[in-house]
């Protein structure tokens, strides 16, 4: 159930906007074209309260209208393309080095949760429990134009670390 | 629904299920233990009545579906976003990737949402969906179902599930439903017809209550819940 404006978490034309993007692959390395990702993150000031308004409708036409372009809600939703690619535009989270990610797709009886770390953090409580190769699956790679690439592998070599909250 | 032959395996599981164990998160300050939040700007009256989202009326049997959302202690989950998506009455999704040759309904998109009230109650008016062919195996038909998503009060409480209709002969043959291995758990995914919820000369009523079972769907003894 993708939504208009779902990938555009950052307020319009905010100068600090970054793009987080990547591909989703299955155990055979094939792109997963029917996945849906949800993102939840602190605001740039570290606030974790979020705000309503991620899913607004146009009051006249009733059609999905997306965000108001001003409010930072902390929540995003994006489907993968036919090639398994997705991208969101957002602000770097304050107070935490990562964005929370939930992944939905056919064949996943329970959605999967992971984290996209924008920077390595030697003191992070989760990263310190992982060996180097597993840890690397949670680190987004900085690219040009304020982009960060975060690929998700559901199974097999380089399988992404998925989380449970006990 | 246990007397029929075993359903075939759910093929999509094979390459998409991680092999590694889930890594427990014990960070008490985890971002995932908060939000997101949704409010009246996110949901209008048009969102919960899927029969009013276009200029014409959709084709099919009109139904109303309601129930209470509670947490594992039985407390109502208030003001939470509930989302619904489904096929039209002919069993086709309004999505370009659905190429099942059943007719599209120009007056039905099949997506709705509402916020729970102070009792944790949600309510939708919609059209009963159709069964559809899905190619998991030979002669594979999915039983009519509604997809539901419940946000809960934190990102980790998110629950996505499917509601089925009582008496559907396809229930016994469905690999997706039978991927839930416990019979009692499966039974909780089937709604009850409730004549008191039927609206005279308008719609048939179904009741389906939901227990949000907390992060990672940990099950404790004596606890009911849809996982």
């Amino acid at each position: 159930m993708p939504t208009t404006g779902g990938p555009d978490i950052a307020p319009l034309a905010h100068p600090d906007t970054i793009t987080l993007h990547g591909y989703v692959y299955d155990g055979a390395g094939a792109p997963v074209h029917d996945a849906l990702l949800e993102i939840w993150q602190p605001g740039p000031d570290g606030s974790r309260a979020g705000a309503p308004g991620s899913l607004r409708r146009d009051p006249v036409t009733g059609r999905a209208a997306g965000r108001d372009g001003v409010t930072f809600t902390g929540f995003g939703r994006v489907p993968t393309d036919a090639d398994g690619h997705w991208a969101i535009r957002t602000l770097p989270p304050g107070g935490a080095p990562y964005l929370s990610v939930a992944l939905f797709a056919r064949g996943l009886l329970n959605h999967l949760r992971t984290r996209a770390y924008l920077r390595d953090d030697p003191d992070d409580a989760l990263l310190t429990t992982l060996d180097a190769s597993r840890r690397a699956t949670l680190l987004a790679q900085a690219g040009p134009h304020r982009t960060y690439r975060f690929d998700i592998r559901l199974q097999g070599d380089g399988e992404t670390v998925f989380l449970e909250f006990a | 629904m246990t007397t029929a032959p075993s359903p075939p395996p759910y093929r999509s599981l094979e390459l998409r299920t991680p092999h590694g164990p889930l890594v427990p998160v014990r960070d008490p300050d985890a971002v995932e233990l908060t939000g997101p939040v949704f409010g009246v700007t996110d949901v209008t009256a048009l969102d919960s009545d899927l029969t009013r989202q276009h200029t014409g009326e959709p084709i099919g049997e009109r139904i109303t579906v309601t129930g209470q959302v509670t947490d594992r202690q039985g407390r109502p989950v208030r003001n939470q976003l509930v989302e619904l998506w489904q096929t039209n009455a002919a069993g086709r999704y309004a999505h370009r990737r659905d190429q099942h040759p059943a007719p599209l309904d120009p007056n039905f998109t099949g997506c709705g949402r509402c916020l729970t009230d102070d009792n944790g109650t949600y309510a939708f008016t919609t059209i009963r969906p159709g069964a559809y062919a899905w190619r998991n195996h030979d002669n594979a038909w999915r039983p009519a179902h509604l997809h539901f998503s419940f946000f809960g009060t934190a990102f980790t409480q998110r629950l996505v599930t499917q509601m089925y209709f009582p008496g559907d002969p396809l229930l016994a043959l469905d690999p997706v439903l039978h991927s839930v291995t416990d019979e009692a758990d499966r039974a909780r995914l089937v709604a009850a017809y409730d004549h008191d919820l039927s609206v005279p000369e308008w719609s048939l009523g179904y009741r389906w209550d939901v227990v949000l079972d907390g992060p990672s769907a940990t099950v404790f003894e004596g606890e009911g819940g849809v996982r």
Side-chain angles (χ1 to χ4, degrees):
Chain A
M1 205 166 154
T3 55
T4 302
D8 298 315
I9 307 173
L12 279 172
H14 196 295
D16 295 337
T17 298
I18 60 170
T19 300
L20 178 67
H21 73 114
Y23 291 81
V24 181
Y25 299 109
D26 71 11
V32 176
H33 57 70
D34 56 20
L36 183 76
L37 285 85
E38 289 184 348
I39 310 289
W40 169 244
Q41 62 164 106
D45 60 354
S47 160
R48 295 173 185 189
S54 302
L55 309 166
R56 290 183 325 133
R57 269 183 188 270
D58 185 306
V60 177
T61 65
R63 293 207 179 104
R67 301 160 198 279
D68 64 7
V70 177
T71 311
F72 184 86
T73 66
F75 176 73
R77 177 184 281 178
V78 59
T80 51
D81 292 335
D83 59 354
H85 186 251
W86 56 276
I88 60 160
R89 286 153 294 279
T90 189
L91 299 178
Y98 64 88
L99 295 80
S100 305
V101 178
L103 176 79
F104 306 83
R106 278 184 292 188
L108 295 180
L109 301 179
N110 282 316
H111 52 282
L112 296 168
R113 303 186 189 93
T114 185
R115 291 176 176 179
Y117 281 82
L118 299 185
R119 58 180 188 276
D120 201 352
D121 182 344
D123 299 324
D124 183 84
L126 171 64
L127 292 180
T128 52
T129 66
L130 302 171
D131 66 40
S133 63
R134 296 279 281 157
R135 179 186 185 117
T137 70
L138 298 184
L139 301 178
Q141 301 301 312
H145 318 302
R146 301 176 62 81
T147 59
Y148 292 85
R149 178 163 168 176
F150 182 68
D151 291 344
I152 296 174
R153 289 178 172 77
L154 293 177
Q155 191 185 91
D157 291 343
E159 181 177 301
T160 301
V161 169
F162 297 105
L163 308 175
E164 68 176 341
F165 294 84
Chain B
M1 63 193 202
T2 56
T3 54
S6 299
Y10 179 15
R11 248 180 12 196
S12 302
L13 288 170
E14 291 170 11
L15 287 171
R16 294 186 166 193
T17 306
H19 288 156
L22 299 178
V23 175
V25 175
R26 298 199 174 85
D27 178 359
D29 199 27
V31 172
E32 293 91 343
L33 299 181
T34 58
V37 295
F38 302 95
V40 291
T41 55
D42 296 299
V43 182
T44 70
L46 283 178
D47 285 282
S48 61
D49 187 343
L50 284 72
T51 69
R52 290 175 52 207
Q53 294 175 350
H54 297 271
T55 50
E57 296 222 7
I59 292 171
E61 176 185 306
R62 206 180 288 109
I63 59 173
T64 50
V65 182
T66 189
Q68 190 187 29
V69 184
T70 53
D71 67 12
R72 63 168 62 142
Q73 269 100 33
R75 297 174 298 205
V77 180
R78 301 184 174 92
N79 202 35
Q80 293 305 307
L81 185 71
V82 180
E83 293 186 297
L84 160 72
W85 66 103
Q86 61 170 105
T87 70
N88 66 24
R92 183 156 176 183
Y93 289 102
H95 191 285
R96 64 185 169 83
R97 299 200 77 91
D98 186 348
Q99 296 297 311
H100 175 44
L104 284 166
D105 185 338
N107 293 315
F108 192 74
T109 306
C111 294
R113 56 176 68 108
C114 70
L115 298 171
T116 56
D117 66 14
D118 281 348
N119 293 318
T121 301
Y122 71 89
F124 289 100
T125 300
T126 183
I127 295 292
R128 182 171 171 141
Y132 63 87
W134 66 302
R135 298 178 181 172
N136 183 70
H137 54 276
D138 188 41
N139 204 13
W141 293 87
R142 291 235 51 213
H145 60 278
L146 304 176
H147 293 263
F148 272 94
S149 156
F150 302 88
F151 264 81
T153 55
F155 196 63
T156 54
Q157 284 189 341
R158 182 65 181 287
L159 181 152
V160 177
T161 188
Q162 301 183 9
M163 186 207 95
Y164 298 88
F165 291 86
D168 188 333
L170 292 171
L171 293 178
L173 304 170
D174 183 39
V176 175
L177 178 59
H178 283 262
S179 63
V180 178
T181 52
D182 184 79
E183 184 182 347
D185 285 348
R186 283 201 302 274
R188 274 194 284 275
L189 298 178
V190 181
Y193 173 70
D194 186 336
H195 198 60
D196 289 338
L197 292 174
S198 293
V199 181
E201 299 178 39
W202 177 251
S203 66
L204 293 176
Y206 290 88
R207 172 168 292 279
W208 187 55
D209 295 328
V210 172
V211 179
L212 283 183
D213 199 16
S216 295
T218 309
V219 177
F220 295 92
E221 282 188 23
E223 178 184 61
V226 174
R227 285 178 288 169

